[in-house]
Amino acid sequence: MKLFGTDGIRGEAGQPPLDRATVTRIGAALARQPRVERPRVLIGRDTRESGPWIEAALAAGVHAAGGDVVSAGVVPTPAVAYLTRTDDYHLGVVISASHNPFADNGIKVFSGAGEKFSEAAEREVERLVADPTWQVPEAAPPELPAAPVERYVAHLRQILDDAGPLRSARLVVDCANGATSVLAPALFRALGFDVEAIGVAPDGRNINLGCGSTAMEGLQAAVVERQARLGVAFDGDGDRALFVDHRGRRVDGDAVMLLCADQLRRDGALRGDAMVATVMSNIGLELALQERGIRLARCPVGDKYVMEEMLRQDLALGGEQSGHVIFASHLFTGDGIATALHVLRTMIATGRELAMLADGLTSYPQVLVNVRVRERADVAAVAPIAEAMRAVESRLGGHGRLLVRYSGTEPLLRIMIEGRDQAEITAWAGEIADAVRATLA
């Protein structure tokens, strides 16, 4: 039984594997995984209307398997990761589908060390869920004590404890009607910023709806209209952030990683003069880092793979173009609020606006096309697709990149091309997409 994708279990709430019975069984299987007599599990969630009943079903499963559950309520994903590690929980669980629409939901799991579950641990949970030799006893969901999040906020303030020369600077903060809706605006105000908060009225169904890191047009307009120094957009569960400079231009994760790498090296904290990014990061990031004498290690898409590579090489910084950025000194998972604090800290340290800092990255034109597929065939073995890919690679001639991969969470084939000319690569991506639609759609 395959449950876990690149970022936990994800699907439509109420449908397998996120139906009530399967969720309860997953909770029981998770409680059996740490192999301790009475495992302690912390659960947090985002603002989706399905969150409370999924939390209750998970808790019922954990309780039936002999575990104890504490609820952090609606909190960002990294808060669960941090509190799991510091408050001696055996597991942390987040109920969220991140940037997906409200009808979807998911289950992300952290080890007692506050790190994303390893693939070996995921396979063990899948084996337990599929094992017919045991059943979950019938039991009502337990009453869940609440977990305070103040220690997580205090941990964030170790990155930046005061706005300093940016005191009263105006920020526009878009919380995607999600998990950061209360915590993020309050924290930035406490630091001394003038905060204009949008996307902070969750109703269970408007998470990520025309707002947040997947729909930044409103934030871009608000930053310019309100003459803000910058804007920050979180996703639904708060583990990533994208930015808008004072001119209204988007600043993606590649630019953020470059400016943070520069600042960490100035601080003497960029271990090994290297960082990690995924295969989706623009070749412009790699070239800019090379100019600075910083090595870029690439890994598959998914912040858990970034984390694993950082741990393997003992590196301080890693992330994704999509805005997941991991600072090893903070947490081994993406944290959108921490990323925003690092960006503000760099602005303070350098005396430069975000627009100037982001100009250090010259990105090659890039196109990303998603094609919905009915099956995940090996594209190299599908002749029309393989032929189209070979033709594109020949045209690129070593002056760009082609990456074709399946999504880890949706039935999509992603076609990414980087090259010198936007019109050319857009046309070439269309050729590959047409071949995919003719064979796999």
Side-chain angles (χ1 to χ4, degrees):
M1 179 181 288
K2 176 71 171 173
L3 293 173
F4 290 87
T6 56
D7 197 16
I9 301 168
R10 195 171 295 184
E12 184 179 349
Q15 300 298 315
L18 294 181
D19 59 290
R20 197 177 300 269
T22 306
V23 169
T24 300
R25 189 168 179 83
I26 290 169
L30 287 171
R32 295 176 61 173
Q33 206 278 335
R35 292 182 174 82
V36 295
E37 185 174 345
R38 197 162 188 85
R40 297 182 69 241
V41 180
L42 177 66
I43 299 181
R45 54 185 170 84
D46 66 21
T47 56
R48 293 164 211 270
E49 64 180 13
S50 59
W53 73 256
I54 292 178
E55 179 181 61
L58 266 175
V62 172
H63 187 69
D68 294 322
V69 179
V70 176
S71 174
V74 174
V75 293
T77 286
V80 173
Y82 177 74
L83 295 171
T84 298
R85 183 184 73 191
T86 58
D87 291 6
D88 296 325
Y89 291 96
H90 296 98
L91 295 174
V93 180
V94 177
I95 301 165
S96 174
S98 187
H99 59 279
N100 285 25
F102 87 93
D104 292 339
N105 216 322
I107 298 171
K108 306 181 187 184
V109 189
F110 293 90
S111 71
E115 299 167 3
K116 287 278 182 77
F117 241 25
S118 67
E119 290 195 10
E122 291 174 350
R123 299 293 86 79
E124 173 63 11
V125 170
E126 290 172 345
R127 186 193 67 77
L128 286 170
V129 171
D131 183 354
T133 64
W134 68 281
Q135 298 299 320
V136 182
E138 291 279 345
E143 291 291 325
L144 302 183
V149 298
E150 288 80 7
R151 281 187 295 281
Y152 167 66
V153 175
H155 186 59
L156 284 168
R157 294 190 68 150
Q158 291 179 11
I159 300 168
L160 181 66
D161 194 43
D162 189 88
L166 288 181
R167 178 164 286 276
S168 298
R170 181 166 297 161
L171 313 180
V172 183
V173 179
D174 185 346
C175 296
N177 293 313
T180 60
S181 293
V182 174
L183 193 153
L187 173 60
F188 291 125
R189 290 185 180 117
L191 295 177
F193 295 100
D194 176 8
V195 177
E196 182 83 24
I198 60 177
V200 289
D203 63 9
R205 293 187 163 216
N206 61 359
I207 187 170
N208 302 314
L209 182 62
C211 58
S213 61
T214 55
M216 295 178 63
E217 296 81 7
L219 176 63
Q220 290 173 282
V223 167
V224 174
E225 179 184 336
R226 293 164 173 80
Q227 298 183 320
R229 301 290 283 274
L230 65 79
V232 55
F234 301 112
D235 64 341
D237 71 327
D239 65 353
R240 64 185 176 109
L242 295 174
F243 296 83
V244 173
D245 68 21
H246 71 282
R247 301 169 187 166
R249 300 185 308 179
R250 289 183 57 168
V251 178
D252 69 11
D254 284 351
V256 168
M257 287 188 286
L258 180 61
L259 69 89
C260 287
D262 280 341
Q263 185 58 42
L264 287 174
R265 187 149 80 162
R266 284 190 289 269
D267 294 339
L270 189 67
R271 293 196 296 270
D273 281 338
M275 59 159 289
V276 178
T278 76
V279 293
M280 290 300 292
S281 278
N282 194 278
I283 194 172
L285 173 62
E286 193 163 352
L287 296 174
L289 290 169
Q290 285 177 4
E291 291 173 0
R292 292 159 169 76
I294 299 173
R295 177 175 58 86
L296 178 65
R298 288 197 185 259
C299 67
V301 173
D303 63 338
K304 72 176 182 180
Y305 299 117
V306 174
M307 175 203 76
E308 289 170 358
E309 191 63 23
M310 289 174 66
L311 287 169
R312 191 180 71 81
Q313 298 196 37
D314 189 29
L315 300 180
L317 177 66
E320 299 187 278
Q321 187 184 60
S322 61
H324 288 112
V325 182
I326 299 175
F327 300 91
S329 61
H330 174 69
L331 279 175
F332 271 106
T333 192
D335 189 331
I337 298 176
T339 302
L341 294 174
H342 272 281
V343 168
L344 291 164
R345 178 174 169 271
T346 300
M347 290 172 62
I348 292 169
T350 61
R352 303 171 72 189
E353 296 295 331
L354 176 59
M356 297 175 63
L357 293 167
D359 281 345
L361 175 67
T362 301
S363 294
Y364 271 45
Q366 183 185 85
V367 62
L368 176 63
V369 177
N370 295 319
V371 182
R372 189 165 291 273
V373 295
R374 66 178 185 275
E375 60 177 310
R376 293 173 178 252
D378 178 3
V379 292
V382 181
I385 301 175
E387 183 178 339
M389 290 170 58
R390 282 194 296 271
V392 169
E393 288 172 336
S394 176
R395 293 171 195 154
L396 287 169
H399 297 286
R401 290 196 306 143
L402 168 65
L403 178 67
V404 178
R405 68 175 187 90
Y406 288 104
S407 166
T409 57
E410 301 173 89
L412 299 175
L413 184 68
R414 305 194 192 280
I415 303 159
M416 188 277 286
I417 306 179
E418 291 171 352
R420 291 172 168 173
D421 184 270
Q422 186 72 55
E424 281 186 343
I425 62 175
T426 299
W428 298 344
E431 292 174 11
I432 298 174
D434 287 344
V436 174
R437 294 187 186 101
T439 53
L440 299 181

